[in-house]
Amino acid sequence: METERLRLRRFGADDVELLVELDSDLEVMRFLTGEATPREVIVREVLPGMLRVYGEHPGLGTFAAEEKDGGAFVGWFGLQPTARPATVDVGYRLNRGAWGKGYATEGTRMLIDYAFTELKVDRVVADTMAVNHRSRAVMRRSGLRFTRLWHEHFDDPLPGTEFGEVEYAIDRRTWEAGDRA
């Protein structure tokens, strides 16, 4: 899969260090876990889980994103299965050096289009912490619309958890009409 500036590909067994570097940046992980993901967790759980999704859910998964010009790894974009029929979850995680360049919106839009055209889903959703204003802006620019706010209990909550989680979504009818936020 490609956008104007990015090439997306499946992760492979040789990509451990890319994920370790990405998940070691505390600013990248700020609204996710608030801490670096240990290398052994990436080796034993994260990467095998990504590879498993490719086989279990054709067309879905987490895809390494590289700049077309030079091939630098910028992070990942993903389409994940959900418990809801014909609904997928779109997400992304980018290296801090890739922030502010429009890559998050560019990759997310491409995956939303792919979900509707190739996968024939009915709905695409995304979620984040309510206080993650940058991610919320990417969701809006990508055509997703705010649908709900909810609160979850966490034993070790991140700062801002008290403000809740938000979901954004777009359905097929809205996407086909080109009525994007």
Side-chain angles (χ1 to χ4, degrees):
M1 293 182 277
E2 295 186 358
T3 69
E4 181 182 330
R5 301 177 296 160
L6 300 173
R7 182 173 296 109
L8 275 61
R9 63 167 177 81
R10 287 181 169 192
F11 276 99
D14 295 339
D15 291 322
V16 168
E17 296 312 318
L18 296 175
L19 293 168
V20 169
E21 182 180 341
L22 180 64
D23 282 18
S24 293
D25 186 325
L26 296 182
E27 275 302 301
V28 170
M29 301 304 288
R30 179 177 173 197
F31 296 109
L32 300 165
T33 63
E35 58 189 28
T37 307
R39 185 180 197 287
E40 54 274 8
V41 172
I42 291 172
V43 169
R44 282 187 275 190
E45 298 173 28
V46 174
L47 186 55
M50 290 175 167
L51 301 177
R52 191 169 36 257
V53 170
Y54 300 142
E56 293 175 359
H57 302 278
L60 298 181
T62 305
F63 305 97
E66 301 167 336
E67 292 177 334
K68 280 185 176 178
D69 185 19
F73 176 73
V74 299
W76 59 253
F77 291 88
L79 278 177
Q80 303 300 327
T82 70
R84 294 174 268 185
T87 299
V88 295
D89 184 282
V90 66
Y92 48 86
R93 185 173 306 167
L94 302 182
N95 287 319
R96 201 178 338 172
W99 294 1
K101 297 181 179 182
Y103 289 152
T105 302
E106 186 175 324
T108 301
R109 282 182 178 167
M110 187 271 302
L111 283 184
I112 291 169
D113 292 346
Y114 171 78
F116 287 120
T117 59
E118 301 298 320
L119 302 178
K120 310 296 186 199
V121 302
D122 293 330
R123 190 166 192 252
V124 177
V125 299
D127 61 83
T128 190
M129 290 177 67
V131 295
N132 189 347
H133 299 291
R134 287 183 179 155
S135 246
R136 292 179 74 172
V138 167
M139 292 174 191
R140 287 189 300 271
R141 286 192 301 268
S142 299
L144 302 166
R145 295 182 176 170
F146 175 79
T147 57
R148 69 185 180 114
L149 166 75
W150 77 97
H151 295 271
E152 289 188 34
H153 170 76
F154 296 96
D155 290 334
D156 189 15
L158 295 174
T161 299
E162 66 273 18
F163 298 104
E165 305 287 320
V166 291
E167 179 184 77
Y168 284 72
I170 187 169
D171 62 26
R172 172 174 290 286
R173 186 177 54 85
T174 303
W175 178 81
E176 286 175 344
D179 188 13
R180 299 181 188 187

